[in-house]
Amino acid sequence: MNQEVTDFINSLDEPWQLQLCDDLREVVHRAIPEVQERMQYKKPHFLKHGKYAVVISTSKKAVSFTIFNTTNLEIPTNFDCPSERKTLKILKGEKPDFNQLISLVQFSSSNL
């Protein structure tokens, strides 16, 4: 795990965001055991073979989980954005389906 990503997550002011980002990071690691992490544009980016797989970003009211390479993936309707990447916006009190996210990330990153 990349220390800069750890530091970013640990620096979050909102405890719910800190926990959620930790949980989402674990989702990515379970989906892509060989994932590479790095901070880019002040956001944690997760790569497989040097190609973007996932990015986590935060705002005052939400945590966003963006999955790349989703053109050929059936994505639930609660995700937004263009066909090549989809974003799930998670608000305080919401709990995403982590098993579903693992499956989506595994499939989307399978041919990276």
PDB file of all heavy atoms in Angstrom, residues 53-81:
ATOM      1  N   ALA A  53      -7.721   1.835 -13.041  1.00  0.00           N
ATOM      2  CA  ALA A  53      -8.801   0.905 -12.742  1.00  0.00           C
ATOM      3  C   ALA A  53      -9.878   1.607 -11.911  1.00  0.00           C
ATOM      4  O   ALA A  53     -11.065   1.489 -12.204  1.00  0.00           O
ATOM      5  CB  ALA A  53      -8.281  -0.319 -12.006  1.00  0.00           C
ATOM      6  N   VAL A  54      -9.441   2.357 -10.875  1.00  0.00           N
ATOM      7  CA  VAL A  54     -10.378   2.996  -9.942  1.00  0.00           C
ATOM      8  C   VAL A  54      -9.763   4.285  -9.414  1.00  0.00           C
ATOM      9  O   VAL A  54      -8.544   4.385  -9.267  1.00  0.00           O
ATOM     10  CB  VAL A  54     -10.682   2.054  -8.747  1.00  0.00           C
ATOM     11  CG1 VAL A  54     -11.523   2.752  -7.690  1.00  0.00           C
ATOM     12  CG2 VAL A  54     -11.366   0.775  -9.208  1.00  0.00           C
ATOM     13  N   VAL A  55     -10.608   5.240  -9.091  1.00  0.00           N
ATOM     14  CA  VAL A  55     -10.191   6.434  -8.360  1.00  0.00           C
ATOM     15  C   VAL A  55     -11.234   6.718  -7.286  1.00  0.00           C
ATOM     16  O   VAL A  55     -12.429   6.501  -7.493  1.00  0.00           O
ATOM     17  CB  VAL A  55      -9.980   7.660  -9.286  1.00  0.00           C
ATOM     18  CG1 VAL A  55     -11.264   8.106  -9.928  1.00  0.00           C
ATOM     19  CG2 VAL A  55      -9.346   8.805  -8.541  1.00  0.00           C
ATOM     20  N   ILE A  56     -10.752   7.148  -6.131  1.00  0.00           N
ATOM     21  CA  ILE A  56     -11.628   7.551  -5.025  1.00  0.00           C
ATOM     22  C   ILE A  56     -11.444   9.049  -4.830  1.00  0.00           C
ATOM     23  O   ILE A  56     -10.310   9.532  -4.779  1.00  0.00           O
ATOM     24  CB  ILE A  56     -11.271   6.807  -3.720  1.00  0.00           C
ATOM     25  CG1 ILE A  56     -11.487   5.298  -3.884  1.00  0.00           C
ATOM     26  CG2 ILE A  56     -12.093   7.348  -2.552  1.00  0.00           C
ATOM     27  CD1 ILE A  56     -10.983   4.474  -2.703  1.00  0.00           C
ATOM     28  N   SER A  57     -12.552   9.759  -4.712  1.00  0.00           N
ATOM     29  CA  SER A  57     -12.453  11.190  -4.433  1.00  0.00           C
ATOM     30  C   SER A  57     -13.487  11.573  -3.380  1.00  0.00           C
ATOM     31  O   SER A  57     -14.488  10.886  -3.198  1.00  0.00           O
ATOM     32  CB  SER A  57     -12.640  12.007  -5.713  1.00  0.00           C
ATOM     33  OG  SER A  57     -13.891  11.755  -6.289  1.00  0.00           O
ATOM     34  N   THR A  58     -13.207  12.670  -2.713  1.00  0.00           N
ATOM     35  CA  THR A  58     -14.097  13.121  -1.646  1.00  0.00           C
ATOM     36  C   THR A  58     -14.526  14.568  -1.887  1.00  0.00           C
ATOM     37  O   THR A  58     -13.803  15.343  -2.506  1.00  0.00           O
ATOM     38  CB  THR A  58     -13.411  13.030  -0.269  1.00  0.00           C
ATOM     39  OG1 THR A  58     -12.234  13.835  -0.275  1.00  0.00           O
ATOM     40  CG2 THR A  58     -13.040  11.596   0.071  1.00  0.00           C
ATOM     41  N   SER A  59     -15.701  14.878  -1.396  1.00  0.00           N
ATOM     42  CA  SER A  59     -16.188  16.250  -1.348  1.00  0.00           C
ATOM     43  C   SER A  59     -16.766  16.440   0.050  1.00  0.00           C
ATOM     44  O   SER A  59     -16.740  15.508   0.858  1.00  0.00           O
ATOM     45  CB  SER A  59     -17.245  16.487  -2.427  1.00  0.00           C
ATOM     46  OG  SER A  59     -18.385  15.695  -2.171  1.00  0.00           O
ATOM     47  N   LYS A  60     -17.313  17.599   0.336  1.00  0.00           N
ATOM     48  CA  LYS A  60     -17.827  17.838   1.685  1.00  0.00           C
ATOM     49  C   LYS A  60     -18.935  16.868   2.071  1.00  0.00           C
ATOM     50  O   LYS A  60     -19.048  16.479   3.216  1.00  0.00           O
ATOM     51  CB  LYS A  60     -18.334  19.268   1.808  1.00  0.00           C
ATOM     52  CG  LYS A  60     -17.230  20.289   1.857  1.00  0.00           C
ATOM     53  CD  LYS A  60     -17.756  21.662   2.125  1.00  0.00           C
ATOM     54  CE  LYS A  60     -16.601  22.640   2.185  1.00  0.00           C
ATOM     55  NZ  LYS A  60     -17.010  23.945   2.642  1.00  0.00           N
ATOM     56  N   LYS A  61     -19.751  16.456   1.097  1.00  0.00           N
ATOM     57  CA  LYS A  61     -20.923  15.651   1.422  1.00  0.00           C
ATOM     58  C   LYS A  61     -20.894  14.238   0.870  1.00  0.00           C
ATOM     59  O   LYS A  61     -21.834  13.476   1.091  1.00  0.00           O
ATOM     60  CB  LYS A  61     -22.184  16.354   0.904  1.00  0.00           C
ATOM     61  CG  LYS A  61     -22.438  17.687   1.568  1.00  0.00           C
ATOM     62  CD  LYS A  61     -23.733  18.300   1.090  1.00  0.00           C
ATOM     63  CE  LYS A  61     -23.944  19.628   1.800  1.00  0.00           C
ATOM     64  NZ  LYS A  61     -25.235  20.200   1.465  1.00  0.00           N
ATOM     65  N   ALA A  62     -19.836  13.865   0.138  1.00  0.00           N
ATOM     66  CA  ALA A  62     -19.862  12.561  -0.525  1.00  0.00           C
ATOM     67  C   ALA A  62     -18.462  11.987  -0.713  1.00  0.00           C
ATOM     68  O   ALA A  62     -17.463  12.700  -0.619  1.00  0.00           O
ATOM     69  CB  ALA A  62     -20.546  12.683  -1.879  1.00  0.00           C
ATOM     70  N   VAL A  63     -18.455  10.699  -0.989  1.00  0.00           N
ATOM     71  CA  VAL A  63     -17.263   9.995  -1.458  1.00  0.00           C
ATOM     72  C   VAL A  63     -17.649   9.406  -2.808  1.00  0.00           C
ATOM     73  O   VAL A  63     -18.706   8.782  -2.939  1.00  0.00           O
ATOM     74  CB  VAL A  63     -16.835   8.874  -0.486  1.00  0.00           C
ATOM     75  CG1 VAL A  63     -15.701   8.049  -1.073  1.00  0.00           C
ATOM     76  CG2 VAL A  63     -16.416   9.463   0.860  1.00  0.00           C
ATOM     77  N   SER A  64     -16.813   9.628  -3.797  1.00  0.00           N
ATOM     78  CA  SER A  64     -17.076   9.096  -5.131  1.00  0.00           C
ATOM     79  C   SER A  64     -16.113   7.965  -5.437  1.00  0.00           C
ATOM     80  O   SER A  64     -14.921   8.055  -5.141  1.00  0.00           O
ATOM     81  CB  SER A  64     -16.941  10.190  -6.186  1.00  0.00           C
ATOM     82  OG  SER A  64     -17.940  11.164  -5.997  1.00  0.00           O
ATOM     83  N   PHE A  65     -16.647   6.917  -6.035  1.00  0.00           N
ATOM     84  CA  PHE A  65     -15.884   5.724  -6.402  1.00  0.00           C
ATOM     85  C   PHE A  65     -16.060   5.544  -7.905  1.00  0.00           C
ATOM     86  O   PHE A  65     -17.148   5.204  -8.376  1.00  0.00           O
ATOM     87  CB  PHE A  65     -16.443   4.526  -5.636  1.00  0.00           C
ATOM     88  CG  PHE A  65     -15.662   3.250  -5.787  1.00  0.00           C
ATOM     89  CD1 PHE A  65     -14.472   3.062  -5.106  1.00  0.00           C
ATOM     90  CD2 PHE A  65     -16.146   2.216  -6.584  1.00  0.00           C
ATOM     91  CE1 PHE A  65     -13.772   1.871  -5.213  1.00  0.00           C
ATOM     92  CE2 PHE A  65     -15.457   1.024  -6.706  1.00  0.00           C
ATOM     93  CZ  PHE A  65     -14.257   0.854  -6.017  1.00  0.00           C
ATOM     94  N   THR A  66     -15.003   5.830  -8.661  1.00  0.00           N
ATOM     95  CA  THR A  66     -15.069   5.766 -10.116  1.00  0.00           C
ATOM     96  C   THR A  66     -14.351   4.523 -10.617  1.00  0.00           C
ATOM     97  O   THR A  66     -13.189   4.298 -10.278  1.00  0.00           O
ATOM     98  CB  THR A  66     -14.450   7.021 -10.758  1.00  0.00           C
ATOM     99  OG1 THR A  66     -15.150   8.174 -10.283  1.00  0.00           O
ATOM    100  CG2 THR A  66     -14.527   6.962 -12.281  1.00  0.00           C
ATOM    101  N   ILE A  67     -15.060   3.753 -11.427  1.00  0.00           N
ATOM    102  CA  ILE A  67     -14.514   2.542 -12.039  1.00  0.00           C
ATOM    103  C   ILE A  67     -14.271   2.838 -13.517  1.00  0.00           C
ATOM    104  O   ILE A  67     -15.168   3.324 -14.210  1.00  0.00           O
ATOM    105  CB  ILE A  67     -15.494   1.361 -11.902  1.00  0.00           C
ATOM    106  CG1 ILE A  67     -15.840   1.115 -10.429  1.00  0.00           C
ATOM    107  CG2 ILE A  67     -14.902   0.097 -12.542  1.00  0.00           C
ATOM    108  CD1 ILE A  67     -16.946   0.094 -10.220  1.00  0.00           C
ATOM    109  N   PHE A  68     -13.065   2.541 -13.996  1.00  0.00           N
ATOM    110  CA  PHE A  68     -12.719   2.752 -15.396  1.00  0.00           C
ATOM    111  C   PHE A  68     -12.954   1.477 -16.206  1.00  0.00           C
ATOM    112  O   PHE A  68     -13.132   0.399 -15.650  1.00  0.00           O
ATOM    113  CB  PHE A  68     -11.245   3.174 -15.504  1.00  0.00           C
ATOM    114  CG  PHE A  68     -10.992   4.546 -14.951  1.00  0.00           C
ATOM    115  CD1 PHE A  68     -10.797   4.737 -13.597  1.00  0.00           C
ATOM    116  CD2 PHE A  68     -10.968   5.656 -15.779  1.00  0.00           C
ATOM    117  CE1 PHE A  68     -10.570   5.996 -13.063  1.00  0.00           C
ATOM    118  CE2 PHE A  68     -10.750   6.923 -15.269  1.00  0.00           C
ATOM    119  CZ  PHE A  68     -10.551   7.091 -13.904  1.00  0.00           C
ATOM    120  N   ASN A  69     -12.926   1.608 -17.524  1.00  0.00           N
ATOM    121  CA  ASN A  69     -13.078   0.482 -18.465  1.00  0.00           C
ATOM    122  C   ASN A  69     -14.434  -0.191 -18.321  1.00  0.00           C
ATOM    123  O   ASN A  69     -14.529  -1.408 -18.264  1.00  0.00           O
ATOM    124  CB  ASN A  69     -11.959  -0.544 -18.281  1.00  0.00           C
ATOM    125  CG  ASN A  69     -10.599   0.102 -18.363  1.00  0.00           C
ATOM    126  OD1 ASN A  69     -10.287   0.742 -19.350  1.00  0.00           O
ATOM    127  ND2 ASN A  69      -9.815  -0.033 -17.313  1.00  0.00           N
ATOM    128  N   THR A  70     -15.486   0.604 -18.275  1.00  0.00           N
ATOM    129  CA  THR A  70     -16.824   0.062 -18.036  1.00  0.00           C
ATOM    130  C   THR A  70     -17.682  -0.024 -19.301  1.00  0.00           C
ATOM    131  O   THR A  70     -18.865  -0.327 -19.207  1.00  0.00           O
ATOM    132  CB  THR A  70     -17.565   0.915 -16.988  1.00  0.00           C
ATOM    133  OG1 THR A  70     -17.612   2.269 -17.447  1.00  0.00           O
ATOM    134  CG2 THR A  70     -16.892   0.842 -15.633  1.00  0.00           C
ATOM    135  N   THR A  71     -17.091   0.202 -20.452  1.00  0.00           N
ATOM    136  CA  THR A  71     -17.869   0.218 -21.696  1.00  0.00           C
ATOM    137  C   THR A  71     -18.666  -1.067 -21.892  1.00  0.00           C
ATOM    138  O   THR A  71     -19.826  -1.027 -22.272  1.00  0.00           O
ATOM    139  CB  THR A  71     -16.949   0.462 -22.903  1.00  0.00           C
ATOM    140  OG1 THR A  71     -16.251   1.692 -22.695  1.00  0.00           O
ATOM    141  CG2 THR A  71     -17.742   0.562 -24.192  1.00  0.00           C
ATOM    142  N   ASN A  72     -18.069  -2.216 -21.622  1.00  0.00           N
ATOM    143  CA  ASN A  72     -18.743  -3.500 -21.834  1.00  0.00           C
ATOM    144  C   ASN A  72     -19.271  -4.106 -20.542  1.00  0.00           C
ATOM    145  O   ASN A  72     -19.423  -5.318 -20.440  1.00  0.00           O
ATOM    146  CB  ASN A  72     -17.793  -4.489 -22.509  1.00  0.00           C
ATOM    147  CG  ASN A  72     -17.379  -4.011 -23.884  1.00  0.00           C
ATOM    148  OD1 ASN A  72     -18.182  -3.443 -24.606  1.00  0.00           O
ATOM    149  ND2 ASN A  72     -16.135  -4.225 -24.238  1.00  0.00           N
ATOM    150  N   LEU A  73     -19.553  -3.267 -19.582  1.00  0.00           N
ATOM    151  CA  LEU A  73     -19.964  -3.742 -18.262  1.00  0.00           C
ATOM    152  C   LEU A  73     -21.386  -3.274 -17.960  1.00  0.00           C
ATOM    153  O   LEU A  73     -21.721  -2.110 -18.189  1.00  0.00           O
ATOM    154  CB  LEU A  73     -18.989  -3.175 -17.220  1.00  0.00           C
ATOM    155  CG  LEU A  73     -19.079  -3.655 -15.793  1.00  0.00           C
ATOM    156  CD1 LEU A  73     -18.869  -5.155 -15.699  1.00  0.00           C
ATOM    157  CD2 LEU A  73     -18.030  -2.946 -14.955  1.00  0.00           C
ATOM    158  N   GLU A  74     -22.204  -4.166 -17.471  1.00  0.00           N
ATOM    159  CA  GLU A  74     -23.550  -3.787 -17.039  1.00  0.00           C
ATOM    160  C   GLU A  74     -23.444  -3.148 -15.661  1.00  0.00           C
ATOM    161  O   GLU A  74     -23.126  -3.816 -14.684  1.00  0.00           O
ATOM    162  CB  GLU A  74     -24.457  -5.014 -16.978  1.00  0.00           C
ATOM    163  CG  GLU A  74     -25.556  -4.955 -17.995  1.00  0.00           C
ATOM    164  CD  GLU A  74     -26.487  -6.122 -17.880  1.00  0.00           C
ATOM    165  OE1 GLU A  74     -27.318  -6.143 -16.955  1.00  0.00           O
ATOM    166  OE2 GLU A  74     -26.356  -7.013 -18.734  1.00  0.00           O
ATOM    167  N   ILE A  75     -23.689  -1.878 -15.614  1.00  0.00           N
ATOM    168  CA  ILE A  75     -23.519  -1.097 -14.391  1.00  0.00           C
ATOM    169  C   ILE A  75     -24.888  -0.745 -13.830  1.00  0.00           C
ATOM    170  O   ILE A  75     -25.782  -0.346 -14.578  1.00  0.00           O
ATOM    171  CB  ILE A  75     -22.716   0.196 -14.684  1.00  0.00           C
ATOM    172  CG1 ILE A  75     -21.309  -0.129 -15.160  1.00  0.00           C
ATOM    173  CG2 ILE A  75     -22.677   1.106 -13.493  1.00  0.00           C
ATOM    174  CD1 ILE A  75     -20.369  -0.585 -14.082  1.00  0.00           C
ATOM    175  N   PRO A  76     -25.071  -0.850 -12.523  1.00  0.00           N
ATOM    176  CA  PRO A  76     -26.343  -0.450 -11.903  1.00  0.00           C
ATOM    177  C   PRO A  76     -26.684   1.009 -12.202  1.00  0.00           C
ATOM    178  O   PRO A  76     -25.798   1.835 -12.448  1.00  0.00           O
ATOM    179  CB  PRO A  76     -26.085  -0.659 -10.407  1.00  0.00           C
ATOM    180  CG  PRO A  76     -24.972  -1.639 -10.346  1.00  0.00           C
ATOM    181  CD  PRO A  76     -24.119  -1.387 -11.557  1.00  0.00           C
ATOM    182  N   THR A  77     -27.938   1.330 -12.146  1.00  0.00           N
ATOM    183  CA  THR A  77     -28.408   2.665 -12.523  1.00  0.00           C
ATOM    184  C   THR A  77     -27.988   3.771 -11.553  1.00  0.00           C
ATOM    185  O   THR A  77     -28.090   4.942 -11.898  1.00  0.00           O
ATOM    186  CB  THR A  77     -29.941   2.684 -12.649  1.00  0.00           C
ATOM    187  OG1 THR A  77     -30.503   2.246 -11.403  1.00  0.00           O
ATOM    188  CG2 THR A  77     -30.407   1.789 -13.779  1.00  0.00           C
ATOM    189  N   ASN A  78     -27.502   3.422 -10.364  1.00  0.00           N
ATOM    190  CA  ASN A  78     -27.089   4.464  -9.422  1.00  0.00           C
ATOM    191  C   ASN A  78     -25.678   4.996  -9.712  1.00  0.00           C
ATOM    192  O   ASN A  78     -25.167   5.838  -8.991  1.00  0.00           O
ATOM    193  CB  ASN A  78     -27.198   3.985  -7.968  1.00  0.00           C
ATOM    194  CG  ASN A  78     -26.450   2.691  -7.700  1.00  0.00           C
ATOM    195  OD1 ASN A  78     -26.123   1.941  -8.613  1.00  0.00           O
ATOM    196  ND2 ASN A  78     -26.183   2.428  -6.438  1.00  0.00           N
ATOM    197  N   PHE A  79     -25.039   4.527 -10.785  1.00  0.00           N
ATOM    198  CA  PHE A  79     -23.749   5.043 -11.241  1.00  0.00           C
ATOM    199  C   PHE A  79     -23.997   6.086 -12.329  1.00  0.00           C
ATOM    200  O   PHE A  79     -24.940   5.965 -13.103  1.00  0.00           O
ATOM    201  CB  PHE A  79     -22.897   3.916 -11.830  1.00  0.00           C
ATOM    202  CG  PHE A  79     -22.222   3.038 -10.820  1.00  0.00           C
ATOM    203  CD1 PHE A  79     -22.941   2.082 -10.116  1.00  0.00           C
ATOM    204  CD2 PHE A  79     -20.859   3.148 -10.578  1.00  0.00           C
ATOM    205  CE1 PHE A  79     -22.327   1.258  -9.198  1.00  0.00           C
ATOM    206  CE2 PHE A  79     -20.242   2.323  -9.659  1.00  0.00           C
ATOM    207  CZ  PHE A  79     -20.969   1.382  -8.969  1.00  0.00           C
ATOM    208  N   ASP A  80     -23.114   7.093 -12.405  1.00  0.00           N
ATOM    209  CA  ASP A  80     -23.209   8.160 -13.407  1.00  0.00           C
ATOM    210  C   ASP A  80     -21.955   8.192 -14.277  1.00  0.00           C
ATOM    211  O   ASP A  80     -20.990   7.504 -13.990  1.00  0.00           O
ATOM    212  CB  ASP A  80     -23.341   9.524 -12.723  1.00  0.00           C
ATOM    213  CG  ASP A  80     -24.636   9.679 -11.967  1.00  0.00           C
ATOM    214  OD1 ASP A  80     -25.645   9.126 -12.410  1.00  0.00           O
ATOM    215  OD2 ASP A  80     -24.627  10.377 -10.934  1.00  0.00           O
ATOM    216  N   CYS A  81     -21.971   9.056 -15.293  1.00  0.00           N
ATOM    217  CA  CYS A  81     -20.840   9.398 -16.161  1.00  0.00           C
ATOM    218  C   CYS A  81     -20.899   8.669 -17.492  1.00  0.00           C
ATOM    219  O   CYS A  81     -21.784   7.878 -17.741  1.00  0.00           O
ATOM    220  CB  CYS A  81     -19.507   9.190 -15.469  1.00  0.00           C
ATOM    221  SG  CYS A  81     -19.252  10.353 -14.122  1.00  0.00           S
TER     222      CYS A  81
END
